[in-house]
Short mmCIF file of all heavy atoms in Angstrom, two decimals:
data_model
loop_
_atom_site.label_atom_id
_atom_site.label_comp_id
_atom_site.label_asym_id
_atom_site.label_seq_id
_atom_site.Cartn_x
_atom_site.Cartn_y
_atom_site.Cartn_z
N ILE O 282 -13.33 -3.42 -6.88
CA ILE O 282 -12.11 -2.63 -6.70
C ILE O 282 -11.07 -3.49 -5.87
O ILE O 282 -9.90 -3.50 -6.29
CB ILE O 282 -12.47 -1.36 -5.88
CG1 ILE O 282 -13.24 -0.42 -6.81
CG2 ILE O 282 -11.14 -0.68 -5.50
CD1 ILE O 282 -13.78 0.75 -6.10
N GLU O 283 -11.51 -4.22 -4.94
CA GLU O 283 -10.62 -5.06 -4.05
C GLU O 283 -10.08 -6.14 -4.98
O GLU O 283 -8.81 -6.39 -4.92
CB GLU O 283 -11.37 -5.70 -2.94
CG GLU O 283 -11.81 -4.72 -1.84
CD GLU O 283 -12.02 -5.37 -0.56
OE1 GLU O 283 -11.78 -6.54 -0.43
OE2 GLU O 283 -12.47 -4.65 0.42
N LEU O 284 -10.82 -6.74 -5.89
CA LEU O 284 -10.36 -7.75 -6.76
C LEU O 284 -9.35 -7.10 -7.73
O LEU O 284 -8.26 -7.75 -7.98
CB LEU O 284 -11.50 -8.43 -7.53
CG LEU O 284 -11.14 -9.53 -8.52
CD1 LEU O 284 -10.41 -10.68 -7.82
CD2 LEU O 284 -12.38 -10.06 -9.27
N GLY O 285 -9.62 -5.89 -8.23
CA GLY O 285 -8.76 -5.26 -9.17
C GLY O 285 -7.31 -4.96 -8.53
O GLY O 285 -6.34 -5.19 -9.15
N VAL O 286 -7.43 -4.56 -7.28
CA VAL O 286 -6.13 -4.24 -6.53
C VAL O 286 -5.35 -5.59 -6.43
O VAL O 286 -4.15 -5.51 -6.60
CB VAL O 286 -6.47 -3.65 -5.12
CG1 VAL O 286 -5.18 -3.53 -4.29
CG2 VAL O 286 -7.08 -2.25 -5.29
N GLU O 287 -6.03 -6.61 -6.10
CA GLU O 287 -5.33 -7.91 -5.92
C GLU O 287 -4.62 -8.31 -7.22
O GLU O 287 -3.43 -8.73 -7.27
CB GLU O 287 -6.36 -9.01 -5.46
CG GLU O 287 -6.79 -8.82 -4.02
CD GLU O 287 -7.94 -9.82 -3.78
OE1 GLU O 287 -8.25 -10.74 -4.59
OE2 GLU O 287 -8.56 -9.76 -2.64
N LYS O 288 -5.29 -8.06 -8.35
CA LYS O 288 -4.70 -8.48 -9.61
C LYS O 288 -3.50 -7.53 -9.95
O LYS O 288 -2.51 -8.09 -10.48
CB LYS O 288 -5.83 -8.28 -10.76
CG LYS O 288 -6.88 -9.36 -10.69
CD LYS O 288 -7.89 -9.17 -11.81
CE LYS O 288 -8.87 -10.32 -11.77
NZ LYS O 288 -9.96 -10.02 -12.88
N LEU O 289 -3.64 -6.33 -9.60
CA LEU O 289 -2.53 -5.32 -9.83
C LEU O 289 -1.26 -5.74 -9.01
O LEU O 289 -0.15 -5.65 -9.41
CB LEU O 289 -2.97 -3.90 -9.46
CG LEU O 289 -3.94 -3.27 -10.47
CD1 LEU O 289 -4.42 -1.87 -10.04
CD2 LEU O 289 -3.34 -3.17 -11.91
N LEU O 290 -1.54 -6.20 -7.83
CA LEU O 290 -0.47 -6.59 -6.89
C LEU O 290 0.20 -7.89 -7.47
O LEU O 290 1.42 -7.94 -7.44
CB LEU O 290 -1.01 -6.88 -5.49
CG LEU O 290 -1.52 -5.66 -4.70
CD1 LEU O 290 -2.14 -6.10 -3.36
CD2 LEU O 290 -0.40 -4.66 -4.46
N ASP O 291 -0.61 -8.79 -7.95
CA ASP O 291 -0.07 -9.99 -8.58
C ASP O 291 0.75 -9.66 -9.81
O ASP O 291 1.70 -10.42 -10.14
CB ASP O 291 -1.21 -10.88 -8.97
CG ASP O 291 -1.86 -11.59 -7.83
OD1 ASP O 291 -1.32 -11.61 -6.72
OD2 ASP O 291 -3.06 -12.01 -7.95
N CYS O 292 0.44 -8.66 -10.48
CA CYS O 292 1.18 -8.24 -11.76
C CYS O 292 2.42 -7.44 -11.39
O CYS O 292 3.12 -7.03 -12.28
CB CYS O 292 0.28 -7.36 -12.68
SG CYS O 292 -0.98 -8.41 -13.48
N GLY O 293 2.63 -7.08 -10.11
CA GLY O 293 3.87 -6.43 -9.70
C GLY O 293 4.05 -4.95 -10.09
O GLY O 293 5.05 -4.43 -10.41
N VAL O 294 2.83 -4.22 -9.97
CA VAL O 294 2.88 -2.78 -10.23
C VAL O 294 3.61 -2.12 -9.10
O VAL O 294 3.59 -2.56 -7.94
CB VAL O 294 1.46 -2.22 -10.45
CG1 VAL O 294 0.81 -2.86 -11.65
CG2 VAL O 294 0.63 -2.32 -9.21
N ASP O 295 4.21 -0.94 -9.44
CA ASP O 295 4.84 -0.16 -8.38
C ASP O 295 4.07 1.05 -8.01
O ASP O 295 4.46 1.93 -7.22
CB ASP O 295 6.35 0.25 -8.66
CG ASP O 295 6.45 0.73 -10.06
OD1 ASP O 295 5.46 1.27 -10.66
OD2 ASP O 295 7.53 0.74 -10.70
N CYS O 296 2.94 1.32 -8.75
CA CYS O 296 2.08 2.45 -8.45
C CYS O 296 0.72 2.15 -8.90
O CYS O 296 0.52 1.46 -9.96
CB CYS O 296 2.63 3.72 -9.18
SG CYS O 296 1.61 5.22 -8.97
N ILE O 297 -0.32 2.59 -8.24
CA ILE O 297 -1.76 2.40 -8.68
C ILE O 297 -2.33 3.79 -8.95
O ILE O 297 -2.45 4.58 -7.97
CB ILE O 297 -2.52 1.59 -7.67
CG1 ILE O 297 -2.02 0.23 -7.41
CG2 ILE O 297 -4.05 1.53 -7.98
CD1 ILE O 297 -2.75 -0.60 -6.34
N ALA O 298 -2.76 4.06 -10.14
CA ALA O 298 -3.36 5.36 -10.51
C ALA O 298 -4.92 5.09 -10.59
O ALA O 298 -5.29 4.19 -11.27
CB ALA O 298 -2.88 5.81 -11.87
N CYS O 299 -5.64 5.86 -9.76
CA CYS O 299 -7.14 5.67 -9.69
C CYS O 299 -7.77 6.65 -10.49
O CYS O 299 -7.49 7.87 -10.52
CB CYS O 299 -7.55 5.80 -8.26
SG CYS O 299 -6.56 4.78 -7.12
N LEU O 300 -8.75 6.27 -11.25
CA LEU O 300 -9.44 7.21 -12.20
C LEU O 300 -10.30 8.28 -11.50
O LEU O 300 -10.60 9.28 -12.08
CB LEU O 300 -10.29 6.44 -13.23
CG LEU O 300 -9.51 6.09 -14.46
CD1 LEU O 300 -8.80 4.75 -14.35
CD2 LEU O 300 -10.39 6.13 -15.70
N ASP O 301 -10.65 8.01 -10.21
CA ASP O 301 -11.31 9.07 -9.50
C ASP O 301 -11.11 8.98 -8.03
O ASP O 301 -10.41 8.02 -7.56
CB ASP O 301 -12.80 9.18 -9.82
CG ASP O 301 -13.55 7.91 -9.41
OD1 ASP O 301 -13.37 7.42 -8.26
OD2 ASP O 301 -14.37 7.44 -10.26
N ASP O 302 -11.55 9.90 -7.25
CA ASP O 302 -11.29 10.01 -5.79
C ASP O 302 -11.98 8.88 -4.97
O ASP O 302 -11.45 8.33 -4.07
CB ASP O 302 -11.81 11.30 -5.27
CG ASP O 302 -13.18 11.65 -5.70
OD1 ASP O 302 -13.74 11.07 -6.65
OD2 ASP O 302 -13.86 12.58 -5.05
N SER O 303 -13.20 8.48 -5.40
CA SER O 303 -13.95 7.43 -4.74
C SER O 303 -13.16 6.08 -4.86
O SER O 303 -12.95 5.35 -3.91
CB SER O 303 -15.36 7.16 -5.35
OG SER O 303 -15.97 6.12 -4.86
N VAL O 304 -12.78 5.80 -6.10
CA VAL O 304 -11.97 4.47 -6.29
C VAL O 304 -10.67 4.50 -5.47
O VAL O 304 -10.30 3.62 -4.89
CB VAL O 304 -11.71 4.32 -7.77
CG1 VAL O 304 -10.69 3.14 -8.02
CG2 VAL O 304 -12.98 4.06 -8.61
N CYS O 305 -10.11 5.73 -5.44
CA CYS O 305 -8.85 5.84 -4.69
C CYS O 305 -9.02 5.56 -3.26
O CYS O 305 -8.17 4.93 -2.64
CB CYS O 305 -8.22 7.30 -4.87
SG CYS O 305 -6.61 7.52 -4.23
N ALA O 306 -10.16 6.07 -2.72
CA ALA O 306 -10.41 5.78 -1.27
C ALA O 306 -10.50 4.35 -0.97
O ALA O 306 -10.05 3.76 0.04
CB ALA O 306 -11.69 6.49 -0.83
N HIS O 307 -11.20 3.51 -1.93
CA HIS O 307 -11.38 2.15 -1.80
C HIS O 307 -10.07 1.40 -1.98
O HIS O 307 -9.72 0.46 -1.21
CB HIS O 307 -12.36 1.58 -2.74
CG HIS O 307 -13.77 1.91 -2.50
ND1 HIS O 307 -14.43 1.56 -1.27
CD2 HIS O 307 -14.66 2.67 -3.20
CE1 HIS O 307 -15.63 1.92 -1.32
NE2 HIS O 307 -15.81 2.65 -2.43
N VAL O 308 -9.22 1.89 -2.86
CA VAL O 308 -7.90 1.30 -3.07
C VAL O 308 -7.02 1.47 -1.79
O VAL O 308 -6.40 0.45 -1.35
CB VAL O 308 -7.10 1.90 -4.23
CG1 VAL O 308 -5.78 1.55 -4.30
CG2 VAL O 308 -7.85 1.53 -5.52
N LEU O 309 -6.96 2.59 -1.20
CA LEU O 309 -6.28 2.82 0.04
C LEU O 309 -6.73 1.92 1.19
O LEU O 309 -5.98 1.38 1.85
CB LEU O 309 -6.41 4.28 0.38
CG LEU O 309 -5.72 5.31 -0.52
CD1 LEU O 309 -6.17 6.78 -0.15
CD2 LEU O 309 -4.20 5.12 -0.38
N HIS O 310 -8.07 1.84 1.19
CA HIS O 310 -8.64 0.88 2.25
C HIS O 310 -8.17 -0.59 2.09
O HIS O 310 -7.76 -1.33 3.01
CB HIS O 310 -10.17 0.97 2.28
CG HIS O 310 -10.86 0.13 3.19
ND1 HIS O 310 -10.71 0.28 4.58
CD2 HIS O 310 -11.60 -1.06 3.04
CE1 HIS O 310 -11.37 -0.67 5.23
NE2 HIS O 310 -11.97 -1.45 4.30
N LYS O 311 -8.17 -1.04 0.78
CA LYS O 311 -7.73 -2.37 0.48
C LYS O 311 -6.28 -2.61 0.83
O LYS O 311 -5.84 -3.56 1.42
CB LYS O 311 -8.04 -2.65 -0.97
CG LYS O 311 -7.43 -4.04 -1.49
CD LYS O 311 -8.07 -5.19 -0.77
CE LYS O 311 -7.57 -6.46 -1.41
NZ LYS O 311 -8.06 -7.69 -0.66
N LEU O 312 -5.46 -1.58 0.42
CA LEU O 312 -4.03 -1.71 0.75
C LEU O 312 -3.81 -1.77 2.33
O LEU O 312 -2.92 -2.50 2.75
CB LEU O 312 -3.27 -0.54 0.15
CG LEU O 312 -3.20 -0.44 -1.43
CD1 LEU O 312 -2.58 0.76 -1.81
CD2 LEU O 312 -2.45 -1.66 -1.88
N GLN O 313 -4.59 -0.99 3.02
CA GLN O 313 -4.45 -1.01 4.49
C GLN O 313 -4.79 -2.36 5.07
O GLN O 313 -4.16 -2.95 5.83
CB GLN O 313 -5.38 0.10 5.08
CG GLN O 313 -5.24 0.19 6.56
CD GLN O 313 -6.02 1.39 7.10
OE1 GLN O 313 -7.16 1.53 6.65
NE2 GLN O 313 -5.57 2.16 8.12
N LYS O 314 -5.83 -2.97 4.49
CA LYS O 314 -6.29 -4.30 4.94
C LYS O 314 -5.22 -5.36 4.66
O LYS O 314 -5.07 -6.37 5.41
CB LYS O 314 -7.57 -4.77 4.19
CG LYS O 314 -8.87 -4.10 4.76
CD LYS O 314 -10.09 -4.35 3.92
CE LYS O 314 -10.28 -5.97 3.75
NZ LYS O 314 -11.54 -6.20 3.00
N GLU O 315 -4.47 -5.22 3.50
CA GLU O 315 -3.41 -6.12 3.17
C GLU O 315 -2.07 -5.77 3.80
O GLU O 315 -1.03 -6.31 3.59
CB GLU O 315 -3.21 -6.14 1.67
CG GLU O 315 -4.47 -6.51 0.89
CD GLU O 315 -4.82 -8.01 1.10
OE1 GLU O 315 -3.92 -8.79 1.46
OE2 GLU O 315 -6.08 -8.35 1.15
N ASN O 316 -2.13 -4.74 4.71
CA ASN O 316 -0.88 -4.30 5.43
C ASN O 316 0.20 -3.83 4.48
O ASN O 316 1.45 -4.07 4.77
CB ASN O 316 -0.42 -5.35 6.39
CG ASN O 316 -1.23 -5.58 7.53
OD1 ASN O 316 -1.80 -4.68 8.18
ND2 ASN O 316 -1.58 -6.92 7.78
N ILE O 317 -0.13 -3.20 3.37
CA ILE O 317 0.73 -2.74 2.38
C ILE O 317 0.93 -1.20 2.62
O ILE O 317 -0.11 -0.39 2.50
CB ILE O 317 0.32 -3.04 0.91
CG1 ILE O 317 0.20 -4.49 0.68
CG2 ILE O 317 1.22 -2.34 -0.11
CD1 ILE O 317 -0.35 -4.92 -0.63
N ARG O 318 2.13 -0.74 2.97
CA ARG O 318 2.30 0.64 3.31
C ARG O 318 2.44 1.51 2.07
O ARG O 318 3.03 1.17 1.11
CB ARG O 318 3.58 0.79 4.20
CG ARG O 318 3.41 0.07 5.51
CD ARG O 318 4.79 0.12 6.21
NE ARG O 318 5.79 -0.53 5.54
CZ ARG O 318 7.10 -0.32 5.73
NH1 ARG O 318 7.51 0.58 6.53
NH2 ARG O 318 7.99 -0.99 4.95
N VAL O 319 1.84 2.68 2.16
CA VAL O 319 1.90 3.75 1.12
C VAL O 319 2.66 4.88 1.71
O VAL O 319 2.34 5.38 2.83
CB VAL O 319 0.44 4.27 0.72
CG1 VAL O 319 0.53 5.36 -0.33
CG2 VAL O 319 -0.36 3.07 0.19
N PRO O 320 3.71 5.32 1.10
CA PRO O 320 4.24 4.96 -0.27
C PRO O 320 5.41 3.97 -0.21
O PRO O 320 5.91 3.61 -1.31
CB PRO O 320 4.81 6.22 -0.83
CG PRO O 320 5.34 7.02 0.43
CD PRO O 320 4.47 6.56 1.59
N GLU O 321 5.72 3.40 0.99
CA GLU O 321 6.95 2.68 1.09
C GLU O 321 6.88 1.38 0.23
O GLU O 321 7.90 1.04 -0.42
CB GLU O 321 7.18 2.22 2.55
CG GLU O 321 7.64 3.40 3.45
CD GLU O 321 6.40 4.15 4.07
OE1 GLU O 321 5.20 3.82 3.59
OE2 GLU O 321 6.54 5.04 4.86
N GLU O 322 5.71 0.77 0.19
CA GLU O 322 5.53 -0.40 -0.52
C GLU O 322 4.66 -0.35 -1.85
O GLU O 322 4.78 -1.16 -2.77
CB GLU O 322 5.01 -1.62 0.39
CG GLU O 322 5.88 -1.96 1.45
CD GLU O 322 5.21 -2.81 2.48
OE1 GLU O 322 4.37 -2.36 3.30
OE2 GLU O 322 5.46 -3.98 2.45
N MET O 323 3.94 0.71 -1.85
CA MET O 323 2.99 0.91 -3.03
C MET O 323 2.73 2.43 -3.15
O MET O 323 2.24 3.07 -2.13
CB MET O 323 1.72 0.11 -2.98
CG MET O 323 0.81 0.38 -4.18
SD MET O 323 1.56 -0.16 -5.77
CE MET O 323 1.72 -1.97 -5.44
N ARG O 324 2.93 3.02 -4.29
CA ARG O 324 2.53 4.35 -4.48
C ARG O 324 1.14 4.43 -5.07
O ARG O 324 0.67 3.50 -5.72
CB ARG O 324 3.45 5.08 -5.52
CG ARG O 324 4.76 5.63 -4.96
CD ARG O 324 5.91 4.63 -5.13
NE ARG O 324 7.22 5.17 -4.93
CZ ARG O 324 8.33 4.49 -5.12
NH1 ARG O 324 8.25 3.28 -5.55
NH2 ARG O 324 9.50 5.10 -4.85
N VAL O 325 0.49 5.58 -4.71
CA VAL O 325 -0.88 5.67 -5.15
C VAL O 325 -1.17 7.20 -5.56
O VAL O 325 -0.69 8.09 -4.96
CB VAL O 325 -1.87 5.41 -3.99
CG1 VAL O 325 -3.34 5.61 -4.35
CG2 VAL O 325 -1.74 3.91 -3.48
N ALA O 326 -1.93 7.34 -6.72
CA ALA O 326 -2.31 8.62 -7.20
C ALA O 326 -3.74 8.59 -7.63
O ALA O 326 -4.29 7.58 -7.98
CB ALA O 326 -1.42 9.00 -8.33
N SER O 327 -4.39 9.79 -7.67
CA SER O 327 -5.76 9.91 -8.09
C SER O 327 -5.89 10.89 -9.24
O SER O 327 -5.29 11.90 -9.18
CB SER O 327 -6.69 10.31 -6.87
OG SER O 327 -8.06 10.56 -7.38
N PHE O 328 -6.69 10.53 -10.19
CA PHE O 328 -6.99 11.45 -11.33
C PHE O 328 -8.01 12.54 -10.98
O PHE O 328 -8.38 13.35 -11.79
CB PHE O 328 -7.50 10.71 -12.57
CG PHE O 328 -6.34 9.90 -13.26
CD1 PHE O 328 -6.64 8.95 -14.17
CD2 PHE O 328 -4.93 10.14 -12.94
CE1 PHE O 328 -5.58 8.24 -14.83
CE2 PHE O 328 -3.97 9.45 -13.56
CZ PHE O 328 -4.26 8.50 -14.52
#
């Protein structure tokens, strides 16, 4: 998941949609580690 988030950031996405709640929790943790603010710098949603 962390590697996937890094690839999405490199691709310049403006939102990350997570296929479930567990993945979303990990995505949010990774963004926090990278000091990327939600939603100011990256939007996030969960399916």
Side-chain angles (χ1 to χ4, degrees):
I282 294 172
E283 291 202 5
L284 181 59
V286 172
E287 290 172 6
K288 290 180 178 178
L289 290 175
L290 294 174
D291 289 341
C292 288
V294 300
D295 49 20
C296 178
I297 299 176
C299 309
L300 270 89
D301 62 46
D302 50 343
S303 170
V304 171
C305 187
H307 287 300
V308 168
L309 291 168
H310 178 67
K311 173 63 174 176
L312 293 175
Q313 186 178 38
K314 281 174 58 177
E315 299 295 328
N316 294 314
I317 297 174
R318 296 174 299 160
V319 177
E321 292 86 354
E322 297 172 281
M323 180 62 65
R324 279 95 164 186
V325 176
S327 174
F328 286 167

